[in-house]
Amino acid sequence: MNLLLLEDDDFVASDRVRLSGRRLKHMLEIHQAEVGDLLRVGRLGGLMGQAEVLSLSPDSTELQVQLDQPPPAKLPLTLLLAMPRPKMLRRILQHCASLGVAELILLNSYRVEKSFWQTPFLQPEQIRHNLLLGLEQARDTVLPQVRIEKRFKPFVEDQLPALLSDKQGLLAHPGPYPACPRAVTQPLLLAIGPEGGWIPYEVDKLCQAGLQPVQLGERILRVETAVTALIGRLF
Ligand code: SAM
């Protein structure tokens, strides 16, 4: 945790917060914080700055906060991701928040196991928890938007073209395609497939909607690795 994220409910005055639970535990065990220490903090959805520890007990702490710095800019990226297996989903949510992905769309695909959609990690509070971990890691305060689209064809036919009206669309797919571009600055939508890959029908539909297939070389990367490798290369 490189940033202590503060939520509206933590504020007991305009410049003072009271914390308990996970964040207090982290302060005590990892930072080994003491009264008078200065910590880096940010208000969820708002500014970042510093906080001075005013009081500290095993149950709660009070901090005086001064927030005056904007969070880092998001990447101009919408990630369209075939629903990954649950354990990977947790980590990908954290990576997306850390890397600055603005929007994540979790999409069904033929090779997504149906059971993946039953995972508790898709519950809104679990999605939020994992995004918060990623923001705390990277020092950001703004949650990425997350959408769940369980019907491939209606999404791709009815919604994807509109999403692409102001963005370039790329489809990550191993094969004889152009190399994935580097150092992109314009808004982008990037589609990444499931563990078993996109099926040819899906590749056709995504390309008809306006995505261009690109590849990252002959090594086939796991979804989680592909997410970070592609984002790192693109931006
Ligand atoms: N056998 C599958 C295939 O050939 O598509 C492998 C799927 S890979 C484990 C999961 C996803 O990561 C792919 O659908 C693609 O979006 C992305 N990916 C992994 N390696 C890639 C590469 N070398 N080039 C482009 N995309 C890649």
Side-chain angles (χ1 to χ4, degrees), residues 172-174 191-198 214-223 226 230:
H173 193 47
I192 298 183
E195 237 166 65
W198 302 109
V214 294
Q215 50 83 22
L216 258 192
E218 63 192 55
R219 294 174 192 273
I220 306 298
L221 305 177
R222 296 177 70 154
V223 177
L230 284 157

Side-chain angles (χ1 to χ4, degrees), residues 167-226:
K167 295 179 189 66
Q168 187 187 356
L170 298 179
L171 170 66
H173 193 47
Y177 304 109
C180 177
R182 295 173 193 268
V184 172
T185 51
Q186 78 265 38
L188 204 72
L189 182 142
L190 170 69
I192 298 183
E195 237 166 65
W198 302 109
I199 61 171
Y201 165 82
E202 292 170 339
V203 173
D204 288 348
K205 295 296 281 183
L206 290 165
C207 291
Q208 279 165 22
L211 301 191
Q212 298 160 2
V214 294
Q215 50 83 22
L216 258 192
E218 63 192 55
R219 294 174 192 273
I220 306 298
L221 305 177
R222 296 177 70 154
V223 177
E224 188 183 1
T225 315

